[in-house]
Amino acid sequence: MTTLTEHRTPRAMPTSAATVTRKPFPLVRHSLSLAKRSLIKTWRTPEALIDVTLQPAIFLVIFVYIFGGAVAGDTHTYLQFLLPGILAQTIATGAIAIGVNLNTDLEKGIFDRFKSLPIPRSAPLIGAVLGDVVRYVIVTVMTLGIGYLMGFRILTDPLSAVAGCLLAVVFALSLSWVSVFVGMKVRTSGAVQGIMFLIIMPLSFASNVFVPAGTLPGWMQTFVAWNPLTHLVEAMRGLFLGTPMGESVYWTLAWCVGLVAVFLPLAMRAYRRKV
């Protein structure tokens, strides 16, 4: 008997719309997509940018022309001293908005919709933080622009000035994780704003933002020396004006790493429990 063996040619798998090609780095892709959503939301509600557009201008005018003569002897000298501090304070208070916005999204149930999508659980939070970069760039440009019109001048080179601006934006992004964590923990957006102001205001005034640290009471100077805003302001004054800054740049970067390392996991944990 002769055994016939049937040889079959393997058929190609049919292609259909259901076949999905997975792209690399899904967390990055989805986070950037949600960051775009945040930018579109900001574009459609420009009044949400009041805190990063009008606030630095108002602070500069009030403090320079009302307190400048008393603190520094003349307004120009005080403007040169004050502007890096106002930039640091305004960019820190600008980080409050992200916690308020995320808490509002939770109340509206938007995160329930995100939960039903095939995206990494952490993408909505990371995307929201990345989308806030535009706010921090705006406040930096506005502060320097208003300061220039008032007479502020950068006394170093352009590369140092850009480095100072980037340092401020990186610090704001790191600090925003504190606001995200608070936004995930408390029940109302008003509570987020109140808690964050209680955190930011002592950091702003118990620092070298408005006056030299050496003029503050001795019992306060220990806190001032460890205050992250103190290091940021000292670093920016060195990069903008060429004043001695010691290791303030490294301390600022260390604070950025510490804030992200502590509050990013806490925010993610609170978010998972919330939704």
Side-chain angles (χ1 to χ4, degrees):
M1 296 179 63
T2 303
T3 304
L4 297 178
T5 304
E6 183 180 2
H7 297 280
R8 295 184 178 180
T9 304
R11 291 182 301 174
M13 294 296 293
T15 58
S16 65
T19 304
V20 179
T21 302
R22 292 186 177 274
K23 297 181 180 180
F25 309 114
L27 176 60
V28 176
R29 289 190 296 107
H30 292 303
S31 297
L32 291 177
S33 297
L34 291 169
K36 183 179 179 181
R37 169 189 174 270
S38 297
L39 294 178
I40 294 173
K41 182 179 178 181
T42 302
W43 178 260
R44 292 177 177 176
T45 56
E47 62 272 13
L49 296 175
I50 290 178
D51 60 329
V52 294
T53 53
L54 295 182
Q55 183 174 314
I58 293 172
F59 275 23
L60 279 174
V61 170
I62 290 176
F63 281 95
V64 168
Y65 294 118
I66 295 180
F67 301 108
V71 175
D74 64 273
T75 56
H76 177 73
T77 301
Y78 192 55
L79 174 63
Q80 292 290 109
F81 173 85
L82 179 67
L83 187 138
I86 290 294
L87 176 56
Q89 185 207 31
T90 311
I91 210 167
T93 55
I96 297 175
I98 186 172
V100 175
N101 293 337
L102 289 175
N103 187 276
T104 302
D105 286 345
L106 279 172
E107 293 177 352
K108 293 180 178 179
I110 294 177
F111 281 94
D112 293 331
R113 297 175 61 187
F114 290 153
K115 187 179 179 181
S116 65
L117 298 176
I119 61 175
R121 294 289 298 275
S122 56
L125 298 190
I126 295 176
V129 172
L130 292 177
D132 253 21
V133 170
V134 173
R135 292 173 52 82
Y136 305 137
V137 172
I138 290 174
V139 71
T140 302
V141 173
M142 286 296 300
T143 304
L144 290 175
I146 296 299
Y148 185 85
L149 294 177
M150 294 173 62
F152 176 81
R153 295 295 181 268
I154 292 176
L155 304 180
T156 56
D157 56 276
L159 185 61
S160 297
V162 171
C165 295
L166 289 177
L167 187 66
V169 172
V170 170
F171 179 82
L173 286 172
S174 305
L175 185 64
S176 65
W177 284 107
V178 180
S179 184
V180 172
F181 171 66
V182 175
M184 293 296 105
K185 292 294 290 184
V186 303
R187 289 179 290 182
T188 65
S189 57
V192 178
Q193 190 170 15
I195 292 172
M196 287 304 300
F197 267 113
L198 288 176
I199 296 173
I200 299 298
M201 287 300 103
L203 292 178
S204 299
F205 288 95
S207 69
N208 59 350
V209 168
F210 300 104
V211 295
T215 64
L216 298 173
W219 58 268
M220 188 183 293
Q221 291 190 20
T222 301
F223 175 80
V224 173
W226 285 96
N227 188 338
L229 276 187
T230 297
H231 298 296
L232 175 62
V233 173
E234 188 174 356
M236 286 197 296
R237 284 183 180 139
L239 293 169
F240 289 165
L241 307 175
T243 57
M245 56 183 176
E247 298 180 346
S248 55
V249 173
Y250 301 109
W251 275 110
T252 302
L253 293 175
W255 271 107
C256 292
V257 173
L259 289 170
V260 173
V262 172
F263 287 98
L264 190 153
L266 289 176
M268 294 299 178
R269 183 180 179 185
Y271 168 64
R272 292 188 180 98
R273 290 185 173 182
K274 202 85 170 182
V275 299

